[in-house]
Amino acid sequence: MTRKRLAIDVGGTFVDFVSLDEDTGDVRIEKSPSSGSLERRFFEGIDNLALDLSALRTIIHGSTMVINTIVQEKGARVGLITTKGFRDVLELGRGNREEIYNLFYRPPAPLVERYLRLEVSERLDARGQVVAPLAEDEARAAIRQLKAEGVEGIAVIFLHSYINPVHEERMRDLVKEAAPDIAVTISSEICREWREFERSSTTVLNAYTKPKLARYLSALQAELTKRDFPGALSIMQSSGGITSLQAAREGPIRTVVSGPAGGVIGVAALGNLLGERDLVAADVGGTTFDVALITDGQPLERTEHRINRRPVLQPTIDIVSIGAGGGSIAWLDGAGGLRIGPQSVEADPGPACLDLGGEMATVTDAQLLLGYLNPDYYLGERLSLNVKRAEQAVRELVAAPLDLSLKDAAAGIVHLAHMNMALAIRNITIERGRDPRLFTLVCYGGGGGLFAGFLLNELDAARAIIPLNPATFSAWGLLNADFREDYLRTFLRAIDKLSARELKSELEELEAEVRGRFSRNGIAPVQTRVQFHAAMRYHGQEHTVKVPILPRDLNDDLVALRRRLDEYHELSYSLKLPESAAEIVSLQASIIGVTSKPTAKKIATEPSDGAAKGEREVSIRGFDDALRARFRPRKPWRRCGH
């Protein structure tokens, strides 16, 4: 029987499909616009590939649905139930100003309005001991009130529940009894770390996105069952591992950057095949430019990041995204300066040259005018690009206001996109103590090949690689992902007061928990391995460094672990304090369920007369000092006021 796997990656502009025949290694690709109903696009691509679902073993799905829901603030109506006295944690945050020099700074408004944030009496101390029991009468009254307000989801965050979840678990049971149709999220199932604001934000975001993703996944599952699909639908997580449909339905916040994560995993897999251990993953999509660093064959990770200025505590591949994709809009700021993004025309209406109703000048329009794109061969000849519409948009919105020729205006747009991308790569290399000249660039995505040469020259990188079928590379990356479950727990202990035996006992408990999650989610891989990490810091510091815990660390009174903190701290900050006291803040256990990986075929390197599609003029524009000054880029990761 033929063994096949299918990967589906939903991006902001296109849905990418990669079908793999595990017996022959043959790969087939497909793309469709991500406008309209995603469920319909999901099966439209399958039909275009003429796949027999009954012959598929696995479908792996990466999606931008969760992050788009958060960014666009189009999630569910959510209520919050918390410990009495902590109703306003979401609004108070950390009490600081993130942009201290911005006189007009306003923090993002809470996603839960104040009248939907309710308090109940209960209290645990910092060690998880019950100080005051849960007042169940108040709890039931709060549920009734939120139900009457028509909420779709309820987030439950109690003080110190990361140590002892007993009250949150009881609250969850009460919600299921009184309002079984309302999706409930308790913080102790989403993150077991301290920091009340960050933990509250993560839990609310999970509740906010849960109903929408659950409906989407349920619709997919129902149609797949109807079509006699016998395998498993697995979902990509932000950590770079895949999980079950049920786990993703309950914890959508785990999938917030699942789309870009697939591409990074693909770059690591490609590097392994080519013997490259240090790489920069550079994904040029229709909406964003996503970059990540891979060192010694492993993507860098972090446990806290921000989505639309809202903190999220989840293991995540460290990906920096800026608005510099093919659909990024070229516009003029209040001072008449040319800017690129972060706004995008997305799939609908798209760049002006697609002739689908778009009227804004974009990076794709500029590339077309410079000859980088073949107007008669786009999306596999399914679309023709309208050069006149691109000329009109660039002339009216950029060239005429700046008194430039059409070619100079187009060149300026592309140049700014180039520089923004280079700045983003410097952000994850030079600004973090890494030398980009020692890394290999892997440029993929629909526009990856168009930018590779410039980035290679600008960064003086070792070399650039453009993979086969770069426009669907992130979907190919999904086929290389392993199953993964993570468990993080706050564990605040000074190193000099912690024995190797105590640490080993704690790690054994974490391992039992992550293995249990595999079992509860119906994941039963043939081969597994467990990794441990500690978030460590010097005494008196606020922030931590993620340090791996190796088996030998448990046999030497943690001396090697203490020295590794110095090593990783120096690597990140060019500073180490070997004489300073150190402490562990939290522990993380990750279990990896190893999957089979796709093989790669070598392509012919001999020249072929049949490869050329035609000839056209391409403009490689140079810049004199006067023109270059007019196109000086701003830092792309700053929010713009447009």
Side-chain angles (χ1 to χ4, degrees), residues 107-143:
L111 293 175
V112 185
E113 297 176 83
R114 195 170 193 270
Y115 76 95
L116 295 177
R117 304 197 299 262
L118 306 182
E119 300 175 342
V120 298
S121 299
E122 68 84 38
R123 196 63 175 246
L124 304 175
D125 65 18
R127 294 180 176 82
Q129 302 297 315
V130 177
V131 175
L134 174 65
E136 296 196 4
D137 290 342
E138 294 181 26
R140 290 188 176 93
I143 296 168

Side-chain angles (χ1 to χ4, degrees), residues 225-505:
T225 301
K226 182 179 177 181
R227 295 188 179 206
D228 299 323
F229 171 58
L233 175 60
S234 300
I235 308 299
M236 187 67 173
Q237 303 177 90
S238 305
S239 64
I242 52 178
T243 190
S244 68
L245 179 77
Q246 180 59 31
R249 185 186 286 124
E250 292 299 318
I253 199 64
R254 298 165 60 176
T255 71
V256 69
V257 290
S258 73
V264 180
I265 294 300
V267 170
L270 182 63
N272 183 57
L273 292 171
L274 299 176
E276 297 278 355
R277 304 290 291 172
D278 298 311
L279 308 112
V280 173
D283 181 4
V284 184
T287 305
T288 60
F289 174 64
D290 305 316
V291 289
L293 210 60
I294 295 166
T295 61
D296 197 25
Q298 296 296 320
L300 297 186
E301 294 185 20
R302 53 183 171 178
T303 56
E304 180 182 345
H305 61 293
R306 287 181 176 267
I307 303 296
N308 205 25
R309 299 192 295 158
R310 305 180 195 279
V312 176
L313 291 178
Q314 287 291 298
T316 306
I317 292 178
D318 193 356
I319 299 172
V320 172
S321 299
I322 63 170
S328 294
I329 297 171
W331 55 281
L332 305 182
D333 62 21
L338 180 61
R339 303 289 293 272
I340 304 297
Q343 304 89 345
S344 170
V345 293
E346 301 181 338
D348 185 13
C353 62
L354 292 185
D355 210 5
L356 299 174
E359 298 178 349
M360 306 301 292
T362 68
V363 174
T364 297
D365 294 308
Q367 290 171 328
L368 176 64
L369 297 184
L370 295 175
Y372 297 173
L373 298 173
N374 184 344
D376 300 319
Y377 192 91
Y378 192 78
L379 196 60
E381 293 185 296
R382 297 181 196 175
L383 290 176
S384 294
L385 302 181
N386 190 325
V387 178
K388 292 190 179 300
R389 290 296 302 274
E391 289 177 348
Q392 179 182 352
V394 173
R395 180 181 293 109
E396 292 180 358
L397 299 174
V398 179
L402 294 178
D403 193 24
L404 294 172
S405 70
L406 196 61
K407 287 292 178 69
D408 279 343
I413 292 170
V414 173
H415 175 71
L416 272 184
H418 283 159
M419 295 307 296
N420 286 346
M421 292 176 182
L423 286 170
I425 294 176
R426 289 190 175 103
N427 174 237
I428 66 166
T429 53
I430 294 173
E431 294 187 19
R432 302 187 188 183
R434 314 275 183 167
D435 187 345
R437 295 172 297 181
L438 304 179
F439 286 80
T440 294
L441 289 174
V442 180
C443 298
Y444 57 100
L450 295 172
F451 294 92
F454 171 83
L455 292 174
L456 180 66
N457 181 65
E458 177 69 18
L459 298 166
D460 198 17
R463 64 172 174 162
I465 296 172
I466 302 172
L468 190 64
N469 301 320
T472 57
F473 183 77
S474 288
W476 182 82
L478 296 175
L479 296 173
N480 293 271
D482 294 318
F483 284 99
R484 173 169 167 173
E485 287 290 335
D486 299 279
Y487 184 63
L488 286 83
R489 179 187 293 174
T490 296
F491 184 75
L492 185 58
R493 296 288 297 275
I495 285 286
D496 58 2
K497 296 181 180 179
L498 177 66
S499 69
R501 178 181 296 179
E502 290 176 290
L503 180 58
K504 182 178 181 181
S505 175

Side-chain angles (χ1 to χ4, degrees), residues 468 601-608:
L468 190 64
K601 290 185 175 182
K602 289 187 177 181
I603 58 175
T605 57
E606 295 78 12
S608 171

